[in-house]
Amino acid sequence: MRLIHYTNPNALSIAPTAGLGGRFPRGDIEDQVDWLFGTALAGFSGLARGGQFPVDIFEDKENTYVRAELPGVNRDAIGVEIVEGSLSIQASRKEKSGEGESTVSFNRLVSIPDEVQADKVSAAYENGVLTVTLPKKEEAKPKKITVSVN
Amino acid sequence: MSLFNTIIPSLHHGTHEGNGDPHPICRPYFEIDETEGAYGVTVYMPGVAKEGLEITAEGGELRITGKRATKLPEGVTALHRESSDAAFELVLTHDNTVNTGKIEAELKDGILRVALAKVESAKPRKIAIT
């Protein structure tokens, strides 16, 4: 940590700081605040460390898609279930911390529309992202009905 | 989030879409550890495939960029979003104690592990007392 430190990719100036004895790695006050808070808040900008993880929901005519960011999780450690109209996603990741190993658990309950064919749900895990495809029931798909008027 | 935007400048930069920036970027979560012979950097980049990943080491700077490869059918509409489509970018600086010829990287399930070997002079040395 002493030798490698973070540089904001968007920082316009990386001029050395005069007068502060080089305590802050960068120039203006905005960057200093950034530097102070940056590391602590890194987790907010995407990945949650344990507990909840970011979930996206998409849909098209045929399916509803639930996408979850779960980097570094073993496929065997992912559990996807449909419980009373909700989609439950559970996962755990093994992390090496020093000499020991710890397990971080994640779980999330997402409410899904009623018109899902629960028996035809499929899931795929790729590049640390889990995508669950929930096919819609026939009656929920947009349909064109022609009514003849006599 | 608007409160955070005001006090913490970093959240202005790229983490939110729709700000008119054609190439939004966000900083991934990362960890650095150190052993006697090397530094290890672990970067969390969900959705990034090998093809979208780029690592450059130049002049005391290690730059890691990753474009997300999303595999959703075309024409889907978003009902709820928590993640971002922005590409990941992480820039780390070092004082040339890293042997840039000996950088190893491994990407698995959205986690990138980079091993940066130290130059000989930066490794701890035992001095025998006679």
Side-chain angles (χ1 to χ4, degrees):
Chain A
M1 289 303 263
R2 186 172 56 87
L3 297 163
I4 304 181
H5 54 80
Y6 168 70
T7 307
N8 190 314
N10 290 306
L12 294 171
S13 72
I14 323 173
T17 321
L20 282 162
R23 201 177 148 199
F24 294 108
R26 285 183 308 271
D28 60 60
I29 189 73
E30 193 181 80
D31 281 340
Q32 288 169 17
V33 176
D34 197 12
W35 177 71
L36 286 166
F37 285 92
T39 316
L41 287 163
F44 282 105
S45 59
L47 174 99
R49 307 279 305 132
Q52 292 221 327
F53 47 85
V55 164
D56 299 324
I57 303 168
F58 298 92
E59 70 161 2
D60 61 10
K61 280 178 189 159
E62 305 288 319
N63 303 300
T64 302
Y65 305 92
V66 176
R67 194 170 70 179
E69 289 190 350
L70 289 162
V73 167
N74 203 322
R75 275 167 187 76
D76 304 334
I78 305 177
V80 179
E81 279 173 21
I82 294 193
V83 191
E84 290 170 9
S86 291
L87 177 74
S88 154
I89 302 170
Q90 288 143 27
S92 63
R93 175 170 66 217
K94 284 198 173 98
E95 280 181 7
K96 276 178 195 153
S97 49
E99 285 170 17
E101 202 179 58
S102 58
T103 307
V104 186
S105 297
F106 304 93
N107 57 75
R108 187 91 194 248
L109 207 61
V110 182
S111 38
I112 47 166
D114 297 331
E115 58 269 14
V116 157
Q117 298 185 54
D119 53 330
K120 285 187 182 154
V121 172
S122 62
Y125 182 70
E126 201 178 17
N127 302 323
V129 175
L130 175 77
T131 308
V132 185
T133 306
L134 307 131
K136 289 182 181 175
K137 278 183 187 162
E138 281 304 319
E139 56 261 37
K141 289 180 188 169
K143 230 177 285 172
K144 199 174 164 188
I145 300 163
T146 319
V147 181
S148 58
V149 182
N150 292 320
Chain B
M1 284 314 277
S2 60
L3 180 69
F4 281 131
N5 278 336
T6 2
I7 24 178
I8 301 131
S10 79
L11 300 179
H12 273 304
H13 309 147
T15 42
H16 303 283
E17 298 130 84
N19 55 3
D21 187 351
H23 300 289
I25 51 159
C26 75
R27 175 162 44 122
Y29 184 88
F30 70 99
E31 288 160 7
I32 296 174
D33 56 75
E34 184 184 354
T35 59
E36 266 187 27
Y39 295 102
V41 186
T42 307
V43 194
Y44 294 77
M45 304 171 110
V48 173
K50 219 170 138 187
E51 298 75 40
L53 185 73
E54 216 177 274
I55 304 171
T56 48
E58 207 183 347
E61 192 179 89
L62 181 77
R63 183 178 292 266
I64 299 164
T65 51
K67 290 193 183 81
R68 297 182 212 227
T70 48
K71 291 248 173 89
L72 279 172
E74 274 182 43
V76 293
T77 39
L79 299 177
H80 177 75
R81 289 300 303 268
E82 285 173 11
S83 77
S84 153
D85 287 328
F88 292 107
E89 185 173 66
L90 178 67
V91 182
L92 300 167
T93 52
H94 58 83
D95 53 5
N96 290 310
T97 48
V98 166
N99 185 345
T100 46
K102 265 194 191 169
I103 296 178
E104 281 171 34
E106 188 202 359
L107 179 71
K108 199 191 168 213
D109 293 336
I111 295 187
L112 173 74
R113 287 191 175 87
V114 186
L116 305 157
K118 288 184 196 174
V119 289
E120 284 303 320
S121 58
K123 287 180 190 170
R125 208 174 307 156
K126 260 192 190 157
I127 294 149
I129 297 151
T130 49

